[in-house]
Amino acid sequence: MAESKPTTAQTKPKDLNAVQDHTEDVYNLIIGFEVNTPSAYREVYVVPDGKRKVHYVLEDPGHTFMYLTKNGKITFFYSLGPHIGASTRERAYGQGTPEYKIPGDTRLFRFTISETQHNSMLKKGRDYRADVLKGERYYNIFHNFTCARSARDIIATGWPSVPKGESFIGKGVVMDEVVNPYAFYEDIHNKYPQGEIRLKADGDEWAILMDKGNSAPGTKDDPTRDPASWGVKRTNK
């Protein structure tokens, strides 16, 4: 999935002499990561598999989020996490929010997708978002309904071959292999190393984009298209 630019074609209807310009819509998927503690994802010896990468979530859980755009405007935003004020227990299993805070530096990848892919991801994303808001789906590390896994589920509806993003999880002892932010980031980065876009921490701006991306889709710009302006106050951010 490479980045592409809009194309313009000229058409001449049989019943008109005028020339009409037609600009094709461009759809994008953006996958974002907060993976700012590299030492939390390291190679260790795992019996009986040998040396494997393990994500130590207690050192840094990391975060994965995703959003969709049409012609550079955000149409949907999804960032799953525990609800505000969650207890220690609820941070493992409990009521979630689909607009979880993004306070740190982020690494993002933008992919050009088709309208069909966009609409497939949009439907799945809206279904997950609604389920979380209604309490029909809980944030759940035990059943791996987490930020990375649920974001990947949404993406996979339109991109079945999206990298797996799985590794062992270390939490005192090594657990099963699951989708997690560090492994997902590494898989995406290794496959698309030239596509990484970095944005400095700006939690307030991400909160605005999350809110407007869902309550007023099509009104906010995708920051990955103009990284230099990120954090600079503008009237149309």
Side-chain angles (χ1 to χ4, degrees), residues 1 24 28 33 68 76 90 117 121 145 149 179 198 206 209 226 231:
M1 290 187 180
E24 296 180 358
N28 290 112
F33 301 92
L68 302 169
F76 174 76
E90 289 172 324
Q117 289 175 303
M121 295 179 195
F145 189 75
R149 172 60 188 274
V179 181
R198 297 193 182 191
W206 281 123
L209 295 184
D226 188 12

Side-chain angles (χ1 to χ4, degrees), residues 41-59:
Y41 186 59
R42 56 186 182 269
E43 191 174 64
V44 298
Y45 190 85
V46 179
V47 179
D49 302 272
K51 285 189 175 181
R52 297 287 298 275
K53 280 286 192 71
V54 175
H55 176 203
Y56 287 89
V57 294
L58 296 182
E59 297 178 16

Side-chain angles (χ1 to χ4, degrees), residues 174-220:
V174 173
M175 298 170 60
D176 292 334
E177 197 165 19
V178 298
V179 181
N180 65 80
Y182 278 87
F184 198 12
Y185 165 75
E186 184 175 75
D187 281 358
I188 293 287
H189 178 268
N190 286 348
K191 192 168 185 178
Y192 307 98
Q194 303 306 315
E196 182 170 310
I197 301 165
R198 297 193 182 191
L199 298 178
K200 290 295 185 181
D202 193 333
D204 291 341
E205 188 59 34
W206 281 123
I208 292 171
L209 295 184
M210 275 190 274
D211 173 49
K212 296 301 182 183
N214 294 306
S215 65
T219 62
K220 289 297 179 181

